[in-house]
């Protein structure tokens, strides 16, 4: 088999594996995994962006956050974040509801998740403050 044909075969195999993995993750993401609501004492900030514009910047929240944003294409997304614990790890559950579709995912306390043109970014403000105090000595 020629080197070019063998390289093409490997490339196609890689693409096929990527498609299978994407379908598996996407189909699993429609049903939220079991997570326990947590009464975390943390404080978070959230920023919601679209490729073309900033929709929310630095809103603070503790246990739960919900906000409706309208993208430039006119679609309305209801973004909900909820502090949960899964396998003992503190996480944030993201629910993005738009046009009758609901997408669920989880992110860590310094996470970023995208859904199409929508990007949601969270920061653990308590950890940010702790690090600032450590660096400045105050």
């Amino acid at each position: 088999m020629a080197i070019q044909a063998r390289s093409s075969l490997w490339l196609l195999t890689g693409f096929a594996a990527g498609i299978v993995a994407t379908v598996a993750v996407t189909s699993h993401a429609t049903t939220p995994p079991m997570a326990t609501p947590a009464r975390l004492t943390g404080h978070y900030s959230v920023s919601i962006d679209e490729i073309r514009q900033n929709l929310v910047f630095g809103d603070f929240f503790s246990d739960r956050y919900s906000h409706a944003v309208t993208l430039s294409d006119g679609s309305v997304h209801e973004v909900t974040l909820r502090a949960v614990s899964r396998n003992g790890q503190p996480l944030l559950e993201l629910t993005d509801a738009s046009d009758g579709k609901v997408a669920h995912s989880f992110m860590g306390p310094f996470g970023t998740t995208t859904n199409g043109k929508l990007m949601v970014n969270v920061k653990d403000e308590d950890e940010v403050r702790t690090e600032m105090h450590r660096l400045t000595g105050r």
Side-chain angles (χ1 to χ4, degrees):
M1 184 181 278
I3 293 175
Q4 186 178 13
R6 192 174 20 212
S7 296
S8 297
L9 182 62
W10 280 110
L11 181 64
L12 290 174
T13 303
F15 278 127
I19 290 170
V20 169
T22 301
V23 168
V25 169
T26 304
S27 65
H28 180 64
T30 59
T31 305
M34 295 301 292
T36 307
R39 298 301 277 160
L40 302 177
T41 58
H43 297 89
Y44 302 92
S45 68
V46 60
S47 297
I48 302 173
D49 297 287
E50 180 187 12
I51 293 171
R52 297 181 180 179
Q53 63 183 325
N54 176 263
L55 302 166
V56 174
F57 181 76
D59 271 1
F60 293 100
F61 71 99
S62 288
D63 295 331
R64 187 177 178 86
Y65 176 84
S66 187
H67 191 84
V69 295
T70 304
L71 302 186
S72 61
D73 64 3
S75 63
V76 177
H77 290 254
E78 180 70 31
V79 176
T80 303
L81 292 162
R82 183 174 64 118
V84 297
S85 176
R86 188 167 173 209
N87 297 329
Q89 295 292 327
L91 296 172
L92 292 166
E93 177 186 27
L94 169 66
T95 304
D96 176 14
S98 175
D99 299 327
K101 299 176 187 171
V102 179
H104 292 277
S105 61
F106 292 88
M107 64 176 80
F110 287 94
T112 300
T113 299
T114 58
N115 184 12
K117 292 190 275 182
L118 186 72
M119 180 174 72
V120 178
N121 176 282
V122 295
K123 292 181 181 70
D124 183 332
E125 288 297 317
D126 291 336
E127 287 295 319
V128 170
R129 285 188 192 103
T130 299
E131 186 64 16
M132 288 300 292
H133 288 295
R134 188 186 70 76
L135 292 173
T136 61
R138 295 184 228 165

